[in-house]
Amino acid sequence: MLPVRNPRTGEYDYEIPVTSADDINSITADLRAAQMQWSTLGAEGRAEVLNRFADSMTTEMGPLAQALSADTGRTTFAQFEAMKSVELIRMWAERAGPILQDLAGSGQSGQVPAVHYQHRLIPYPVVAVISPWNVPLLLAMIDSLAALAAGCAVLLKPSEVTPRFVAPLQRALDAVPELAAVLHIVTGGPDTGKAMIEEVDAVCFTGSVKTGRQVSQQAAACFIPAFLELGGKDPAVILPDADVPLAARAIIRSAIGMTGQACQSLERVYCHESISETVTEELLRQLSELSLTCSEDGAGDIAPLIFERQVNIIQAQVDDALAKGATCLLGGEPVRAGGVWYPPTLLTNVNHTMLIMQEETFGPVIPVVAFSDADEAVALANDSKFGLSAAVFSTDSRAAIAVAERLQVGAISINDASLTGIVNDVEKNSFRFSGMGGSRMGPAGLIRFVRKRALLIQTDEPARVQLFSDTALSNTP
Ligand code: NAD
């Protein structure tokens, strides 16, 4: 059994079994057998089953939100996460059919018009979904639901750091036996994840770059596709004509709102030198109004850190910045009250030699750097191994879009931040070390789970072997 820590109390008050490689082997065999019927059910049949799952998830909404709250130390967001998951189920139930229908075309070859074709869509039989701790339910569901809607069976392993939600999720699943046959949830840590990759036909992984590299290498050796959604170091660029209070509000929501524990959290702020003081003052003013949830009644804005060891990473980056000359205007040290809270932290006088500007922090820290022109802003924003998303602020939307088009990231929010956290139906890719393997959002999020089989029908006489016979060498031109 693996002990599980409660992020609010700091106590280990829960445990989960570790699923063995042998169990993974037999579970995958069962999923593989059940998937055939699931696939032949068709998109409409699957939609009906998925909608019943949405109903049973709605029945379990209270316990789901409670378990998520114990997993993450967040209350209001836990409710939002449970609700958003139900919304996602209904979205795929509605949209999968039309998307798959559009994809499975038939027609005539342009090159060889006598050849007619029909496409069949063949889902990967079993897809592994391996998910992280920061948004436990939603990140477990986002790939699983699309894969299921496409006709795959799914073997899901949520993070061992936040597994309490699995029990109510399993209850909701048990109420829909047709789905329970093709969605199997296992618990465990890295070894369980590795065993899964050995058995399945495709893997979706959300997590750190370090683990993502191991997953992609193992998947390559198994000759299966790996869809990776990894870390980020998202920049915000504030142009001189930006609405400063609006920019500060959006940046703070993105950088601090989830205690910085979101892949698409803004972690670097570049603002034009003409407004850098105003921006810093506004950030400081708005940040000073926030409170931690460490009081008795649990009310407040900033939840505890979910993963205890994350505090060491955050503090090492802040200390490195301070040692290299940064100024800390707010925060900068954890608060321990059973769990560990990290207060909103604002740093100035930072530069790119500091870890805080290079490595993913995954904590509520805002470092601010001034730039002199758009070229410098773009160069600074692009000076990163990551390429997840970004934000640009300007009252001139053309100027904002001109900067956005030069950023080496997969999604850019304009005059807001982290919009990919709430917009799941617009395609976007992760650039650089932030991911690999097709958009998980929008129609592509579904399409990546099916392969096309082409039936090529000859309507003319087949060519004779002599078509490419050689004539005597002396006769060739
Ligand atoms: P992690 O890489 O430590 O673990 C993620 C999952 O992988 C867990 O379920 C873990 O048990 C499993 N795992 C660990 N080693 C494995 C192995 N060798 N083979 C197979 N599975 C293995 O990540 P984390 O700390 O849980 O999550 C935080 C990270 O996730 C951050 O870097 C964050 O940016 C990233 N993230 C990315 C996105 C995105 O959409 N791009 C979303 C959320 C989180």
Side-chain angles (χ1 to χ4, degrees):
M1 298 293 271
L2 277 180
V4 182
R5 180 179 166 276
N6 183 315
R8 183 171 279 282
T9 63
E11 282 167 20
Y12 285 80
D13 59 3
Y14 196 79
E15 55 181 18
I16 49 166
V18 175
T19 312
S20 69
D22 284 348
D23 286 344
I24 292 292
N25 178 288
S26 67
I27 291 165
T28 315
D30 290 348
L31 285 171
R32 206 173 284 287
Q35 184 269 339
M36 288 187 233
Q37 204 183 342
W38 180 244
S39 172
T40 49
L41 204 53
E44 263 182 40
R46 292 193 293 269
E48 189 270 323
V49 175
L50 286 171
N51 275 325
R52 273 192 279 127
F53 182 46
D55 294 341
S56 65
M57 285 279 279
T58 306
T59 308
E60 285 293 333
M61 191 76 84
L64 262 174
Q66 246 175 350
L68 285 168
S69 178
D71 274 333
T72 62
R74 307 183 287 237
T75 310
T76 307
F77 187 84
Q79 287 161 6
F80 169 80
E81 195 181 342
M83 255 168 43
K84 187 87 181 159
S85 300
V86 173
E87 201 183 285
L88 261 186
I89 302 172
R90 297 216 191 273
M91 182 190 88
W92 281 125
E94 186 188 326
R95 296 200 187 164
I99 294 171
L100 294 176
Q101 201 174 1
D102 281 355
L103 200 62
S106 59
Q108 252 176 297
S109 158
Q111 282 179 312
V112 186
V115 173
H116 296 197
Y117 69 85
Q118 293 176 17
H119 272 140
R120 300 283 185 267
L121 303 179
I122 313 298
Y124 288 104
V126 184
V127 174
V129 175
I130 301 173
S131 54
W133 48 258
N134 58 321
V135 189
L137 173 64
L138 208 50
L139 291 173
M141 298 306 277
I142 201 163
D143 291 322
S144 301
L145 290 168
L148 287 163
C152 311
V154 170
L155 177 58
L156 164 66
K157 190 196 84 62
S159 168
E160 65 276 27
V161 179
T162 50
R164 292 171 181 82
F165 76 94
V166 170
L169 178 63
Q170 186 64 52
R171 279 201 300 275
L173 191 55
D174 290 342
V176 189
E178 304 97 310
L179 194 65
V182 286
L183 169 58
H184 197 113
I185 310 169
V186 294
T187 53
D191 288 343
T192 304
K194 287 182 208 165
M196 290 163 69
I197 298 168
E198 289 299 313
E199 300 291 338
V200 297
D201 307 290
V203 56
C204 295
F205 171 81
T206 308
S208 62
V209 172
K210 185 171 163 239
T211 312
R213 182 174 278 125
Q214 292 167 7
V215 166
S216 67
Q217 286 170 350
Q218 194 187 346
C222 294
F223 240 74
I224 60 168
F227 305 112
L228 308 179
E229 293 288 344
L230 310 176
K233 188 80 198 166
D234 286 3
V237 175
I238 311 179
L239 297 177
D241 63 349
D243 177 334
V244 172
L246 177 148
R249 186 168 73 208
I251 289 168
I252 289 171
R253 193 200 72 242
S254 164
I256 309 289
M258 302 271 289
T259 322
Q261 306 165 121
C263 55
Q264 80 280 7
S265 290
L266 286 173
E267 294 202 354
R268 296 179 285 153
V269 173
Y270 302 103
C271 60
H272 190 262
E273 58 193 8
S274 64
I275 52 164
S276 70
E277 256 179 54
T278 320
V279 168
T280 308
E281 278 165 19
E282 185 61 26
L283 285 169
L284 189 57
R285 189 186 69 74
Q286 293 192 24
L287 286 171
S288 305
E289 291 170 357
L290 303 178
S291 59
L292 306 180
T293 62
C294 54
S295 58
E296 273 291 286
D297 67 1
D301 308 299
I302 318 289
L305 295 175
I306 296 171
F307 186 46
E308 191 177 23
R309 270 176 278 159
Q310 198 62 34
V311 71
N312 303 332
I313 297 170
I314 301 169
Q315 198 59 51
Q317 292 186 15
V318 170
D319 289 347
D320 170 74
L322 294 178
K324 290 175 181 164
T327 307
C328 182
L329 298 179
L330 191 73
E333 276 181 21
V335 173
R336 292 175 194 276
V340 185
W341 278 256
Y342 208 90
T345 296
L346 184 61
L347 299 177
T348 54
N349 295 321
V350 289
N351 61 54
H352 280 216
T353 67
M354 300 171 182
L355 294 172
I356 201 85
M357 297 305 283
Q358 296 292 339
E359 299 299 328
E360 185 175 45
T361 309
F362 231 53
V365 181
I366 303 180
V368 184
V369 175
F371 64 82
S372 56
D373 59 25
D375 287 349
E376 190 188 6
V378 169
L380 286 167
N382 285 340
D383 178 24
S384 173
K385 62 189 170 200
F386 297 103
L388 194 62
S389 43
V392 181
F393 296 90
S394 169
T395 46
D396 175 355
S397 62
R398 272 183 312 179
I401 287 172
V403 168
E405 279 177 352
R406 297 169 67 193
L407 300 181
Q408 295 300 316
V409 301
I412 297 124
S413 302
I414 294 182
N415 289 326
D416 203 340
S418 304
L419 286 174
T420 51
I422 49 169
V423 176
N424 305 134
D425 58 348
V426 178
E427 291 178 357
K428 58 129 235 160
N429 289 104
S430 299
F431 291 13
R432 297 176 165 173
F433 280 12
S434 289
M436 184 173 95
S439 169
R440 74 161 24 159
M441 311 285 191
L446 180 89
I447 291 168
R448 65 199 165 128
F449 294 116
V450 294
R451 296 152 298 168
K452 274 188 175 176
R453 174 182 288 150
L455 305 182
L456 299 166
I457 304 147
Q458 177 60 278
T459 62
D460 205 347
E461 287 196 0
R464 294 177 193 283
V465 68
Q466 288 86 353
L467 180 65
F468 295 118
S469 293
D470 291 330
T471 51
L473 280 177
S474 55
N475 291 343
T476 49

